Amino acid sequence: MDTWQGLSALVAERLKVVSAGERRVFAAGVAERLMRRHEALPEDEQRPFTLSLRPLLDSVWEGVLGDTTAFSAVNRGVAEYMLGEYCHNDGQDGPDDADESAAAATLYAAHTYLFGCHDFAVWTSGRAVEAVDEHLQHLAELEEEDDVLIGTDEALAAELRRQLQDLDLIAAFSKELRHSGLGLPTDTAVRLRVELRAPLSGRG
């Protein structure tokens, strides 16, 4: 059985060799799944800052699927974060809202879209793994049971296997995505919303 650490390394290696367009879609898909999970939480557990990033993530999707006009919206969204109170160097003394998993993944996905680089995509992957671990820790605290944590390694591995499946799906569209940063025809973008965004966004 593959360890989650080995699977994580495999995801990172796969992200290194794919095109920037494929990395961008991968990061958007991971961030979308985390955002949907957060949006499904009880209202009193949702964070306003995380929810405020939904328009940014939607703009990222438009951009990664070939709408070049989305660049300005994503750039503006990232700039607003960089200039806001949640981007700071105060450590634990500063607000931690941007360190919530869905928020952090969305910001990493936005950076992946803007720059196409490997590191931001890998960090997006890592936030999904951390989110699984944090969820299990939370359940263990609520139930005051260590048994909840017994399956942690397998749960982390399952998340990474899902990411590898995402990469397999994205690879089938590598030809379209290789130059998606230059823009895609409208009919192609519409088709990719159905054939890529929808399956990548599912919780499965």
Side-chain angles (χ1 to χ4, degrees):
M1 181 183 297
D2 294 318
T3 65
W4 71 265
Q5 293 94 336
L7 291 168
S8 180
L10 183 55
V11 169
E13 284 300 314
R14 290 277 299 273
L15 287 169
K16 189 177 294 184
V17 299
V18 300
S19 68
E22 291 172 81
R23 273 189 220 107
R24 290 175 173 124
V25 172
F26 170 83
V30 172
E32 180 69 34
R33 286 192 286 114
L34 290 177
M35 181 64 78
R36 290 192 181 195
R37 288 175 196 164
H38 191 85
E39 292 169 336
L41 290 173
E43 190 173 343
D44 62 349
E45 294 181 30
Q46 297 175 357
R47 294 199 187 187
F49 177 71
T50 299
L51 298 179
S52 77
L53 294 176
R54 165 50 77 183
L56 174 61
L57 183 54
D58 287 340
S59 294
V60 169
W61 271 115
E62 293 301 310
V64 302
L65 296 181
D67 181 356
T68 57
T69 66
F71 185 90
S72 295
V74 176
N75 198 32
R76 184 167 55 252
V78 170
E80 289 172 356
Y81 159 69
M82 297 290 285
L83 294 171
E85 63 179 316
Y86 299 122
C87 182
H88 59 80
N89 62 352
D90 297 327
Q92 294 184 349
D93 293 329
D96 68 351
D97 297 61
D99 194 42
E100 187 280 321
S101 292
T106 296
L107 292 166
Y108 285 145
H111 281 81
T112 305
Y113 165 65
L114 292 175
F115 305 111
C117 59
H118 168 261
D119 286 350
F120 287 120
V122 171
W123 294 338
T124 309
S125 163
R127 287 312 303 226
V129 176
E130 287 180 35
V132 172
D133 187 48
E134 289 169 359
H135 178 65
L136 292 177
Q137 294 280 356
H138 179 64
L139 289 179
E141 290 171 6
L142 287 178
E143 299 181 18
E144 297 183 351
E145 294 283 350
D146 291 334
D147 292 352
V148 176
L149 299 177
I150 291 176
T152 296
D153 286 355
E154 178 52 34
L156 301 182
E159 166 60 34
L160 289 158
R161 289 191 196 99
R162 165 64 194 264
Q163 293 183 20
L164 290 168
Q165 291 171 358
D166 289 349
L167 286 167
D168 288 341
L169 173 63
I170 293 166
F173 300 87
S174 60
K175 184 176 179 180
E176 292 102 320
L177 296 174
R178 185 166 297 278
H179 302 294
S180 58
L182 301 176
L184 292 174
T186 301
D187 59 339
T188 301
V190 170
R191 176 171 56 83
L192 291 179
R193 286 191 199 108
V194 175
E195 298 180 351
L196 269 179
R197 180 171 181 172
L200 291 175
S201 301
R203 295 190 187 184

